[in-house]
Amino acid sequence: MPITLSTLNKIKQEGSKFTCLTAYDSTFSHLAGKAGVEVLLVGDSLGNVLQGHDSTVPVTLENMIYHTECVQRGNQGALIMSDLPFMAYATEQQALESSAALMRAGAHIVKLEGGEWLRSSVRLLSDRGVPVCVHLGLTPQSVNKMGGYKVQGRDPAEREALIADSIAAEEAGAAMLLYECIPSELMEVIMSKVSIPVIGIGAGPASDAQVLVLHDMLGATTRKPAKFVKNFMAEGDGSISGAIEAYVNAVKAGTFPGPEHGFE
């Protein structure tokens, strides 16, 4: 049976975990789905791992449409989530048009980065039948404003803003939330404040799901891995499929992420 938002909500209500992994083409989409990954993220991280950029900012909507179509062709029943890239949702009209393009390409839900300023766009998209995941914490599209890739939510004001933004996103109609690089303890607090499924990356073990970039979890990187990354190639049978299965099993068993993958 295909994975839907109802499936993910049921998993959450049961107190179980689900997995998310980036995918950018048909072959890896097929392998990830067969290995049990519930959510395939067509991430604008393709700017880093496929295109060789030092940020996600250069990625275009046309890039995202193309890779979403590729992932859709190989999909084995996973929920496909596609990123709206930098400046593709600066206005409500842009958000509608860009989201429609990604949904037509095969996405089941779109992901946007931002807090309070997104409220009206999230509500509009939700009202028009487009499920939305709001990405909070470290938002890579804002790396130039942030001054680098830094843990978010350590400062008391940032912490309260993240909690408020989380509640506001759900009230606006967001179907999911994703948090990147926030203190593990803050993730626990946020989990007590929201009722929709939550995905984490570098946010500790409390969330309903974890996500990693495919290339990172396979050890296929050209840079020093982030603290929250684990190379799963050594955990399986030495194959890509085995590594993905090991990742899925570790998330569902609660053994990944460990304390060493989180932030205080």
Side-chain angles (χ1 to χ4, degrees):
M1 292 289 290
I3 301 295
T4 66
L5 287 170
S6 295
T7 310
L8 302 183
N9 277 289
K10 185 173 185 291
I11 292 172
K12 177 183 178 72
Q13 291 163 9
E14 292 173 346
S16 300
K17 303 283 187 180
F18 63 92
T19 51
C20 179
L21 188 64
T22 65
Y24 313 103
D25 63 27
S26 175
T27 299
F28 281 101
S29 167
H30 181 97
L31 293 176
K34 293 290 283 186
V37 174
E38 286 92 352
V39 180
L40 298 177
L41 171 60
V42 187
D44 58 2
S45 51
L46 66 88
N48 305 101
V49 299
L50 297 187
Q51 297 176 337
H53 297 300
D54 60 4
S55 77
T56 63
V57 172
V59 177
T60 66
L61 180 61
E62 289 71 26
N63 294 154
M64 295 306 304
I65 291 169
Y66 170 78
H67 286 281
T68 298
E69 290 173 340
C70 292
V71 168
Q72 188 275 331
R73 293 188 194 108
N75 187 29
Q76 299 298 298
L79 185 93
I80 298 174
M81 177 161 64
S82 294
D83 275 338
L84 284 170
F86 180 69
M87 284 297 167
Y89 53 101
T91 67
E92 291 181 8
Q93 187 62 32
Q94 264 192 318
L96 280 173
E97 293 174 358
S98 299
S99 297
L102 288 180
M103 296 292 281
R104 292 189 190 104
H108 302 118
I109 181 170
V110 299
K111 181 164 74 64
L112 305 81
E113 296 181 8
E116 174 63 29
W117 70 274
L118 277 178
R119 183 195 288 251
S120 60
S121 291
V122 172
R123 186 177 301 281
L124 182 62
L125 288 170
S126 181
D127 287 347
R128 298 298 188 274
V130 179
V132 177
C133 175
V134 175
H135 183 148
L136 294 163
L138 172 59
T139 48
Q141 292 175 16
S142 302
V143 64
N144 292 307
K145 181 180 179 181
M146 289 178 171
Y149 298 95
K150 303 175 181 177
V151 178
Q152 303 295 303
R154 283 173 167 161
D155 175 85
E158 283 184 356
R159 175 189 175 91
E160 292 308 311
L162 273 172
I163 294 171
D165 285 345
S166 304
I167 296 169
E170 181 171 10
E171 290 177 346
M176 268 198 295
L177 298 168
L178 186 149
Y179 297 85
E180 182 171 355
C181 289
I182 67 171
S184 300
E185 182 271 336
L186 176 55
M187 184 77 268
E188 294 176 7
V189 173
I190 291 171
M191 289 298 293
S192 71
K193 304 288 185 181
V194 299
S195 61
I196 54 180
V198 174
I199 300 172
I201 178 169
S207 56
D208 302 299
Q210 298 294 323
V211 61
L212 284 177
V213 170
L214 173 70
H215 295 63
D216 288 344
M217 59 83 64
L218 293 177
T221 60
T222 58
R223 63 195 186 282
K224 181 181 178 181
K227 182 181 181 182
F228 52 77
V229 169
K230 180 175 180 178
N231 181 347
F232 280 89
M233 279 297 286
E235 300 288 318
D237 57 10
S239 70
I240 290 173
S241 295
I244 298 174
E245 289 176 5
Y247 166 64
V248 170
N249 292 336
V251 171
K252 292 182 181 295
T255 58
F256 177 80
E260 68 275 18
H261 301 115
F263 300 98
E264 295 181 354

